[in-house]
Amino acid sequence: MKRNENGFTYPLTLCTLLLFLIFFSMHIEQLLSERKMALETTEILKQEYYFLSSAKKVESIYQLRSTIPAKGTFVYANGTMNYRVENPSSLIQIVDFTLILDSHDAIAGYGYFDSRSKTLIKWLEVK
């Protein structure tokens, strides 16, 4: 009781409460940044999966039909992939992929296909 009368307990309790709030806010900040990183990672992995899947589909169409249709669309659960074919030379065909996700803007990628082996030889992604 004597220490309480001299004002010892109140500053001690206040310092303890402030320390608790500082550590609590640091953990909340870390949790929010990890959650944001997890969502961004999920979006990036979806984009990569859709590009890879579309490139494989176009490659299999090219190997089966020996031509790629001039335009096409692949519909996925969270977006659509449009593609367009360009023929700059007789040996290479460039396929312009455009991914439109439900939550973001369009993302473009280019696939270079070899006419002789009918496979993807180069990939370029443009944001």
Side-chain angles (χ1 to χ4, degrees), residues 44-123:
I44 290 170
L45 289 175
K46 267 186 213 175
Q47 292 171 8
E48 289 179 1
Y49 174 74
Y50 290 159
F51 275 122
L52 177 66
S53 176
S54 298
K56 283 184 177 182
K57 285 181 184 179
V58 168
E59 187 176 48
S60 66
I61 288 171
Y62 192 30
Q63 289 174 352
L64 290 175
R65 298 183 188 172
S66 40
T67 59
I68 303 173
K71 290 183 181 180
T73 301
F74 299 121
V75 179
Y76 295 104
N78 295 323
T80 56
M81 176 72 74
N82 300 320
Y83 70 90
R84 187 174 43 93
V85 178
E86 300 172 8
N87 294 320
S89 70
S90 63
L91 298 177
I92 294 177
Q93 289 188 341
I94 300 175
V95 180
D96 176 20
F97 293 98
T98 305
L99 176 63
I100 302 171
L101 288 174
D102 295 338
S103 59
H104 291 297
D105 294 335
I107 302 161
Y110 298 98
Y112 294 84
F113 288 86
D114 185 19
S115 298
R116 291 172 286 177
S117 64
K118 297 180 182 177
T119 58
L120 180 68
I121 56 171
K122 184 178 176 183
W123 175 257

Side-chain angles (χ1 to χ4, degrees), residues 1-66:
M1 284 299 248
K2 267 191 173 186
R3 289 187 179 170
N4 194 10
E5 291 173 5
N6 292 332
F8 177 73
T9 306
Y10 179 72
L12 182 66
T13 306
L14 183 64
C15 288
T16 307
L17 181 64
L18 286 175
L19 279 173
F20 171 75
L21 289 175
I22 288 170
F23 284 118
F24 184 70
S25 66
M26 286 173 29
H27 284 288
I28 292 295
E29 179 80 23
Q30 183 179 6
L31 175 71
L32 290 176
S33 66
E34 286 176 1
R35 190 175 289 171
K36 184 178 178 182
M37 289 276 288
L39 290 174
E40 289 175 359
T41 303
T42 304
E43 286 294 317
I44 290 170
L45 289 175
K46 267 186 213 175
Q47 292 171 8
E48 289 179 1
Y49 174 74
Y50 290 159
F51 275 122
L52 177 66
S53 176
S54 298
K56 283 184 177 182
K57 285 181 184 179
V58 168
E59 187 176 48
S60 66
I61 288 171
Y62 192 30
Q63 289 174 352
L64 290 175
R65 298 183 188 172
S66 40

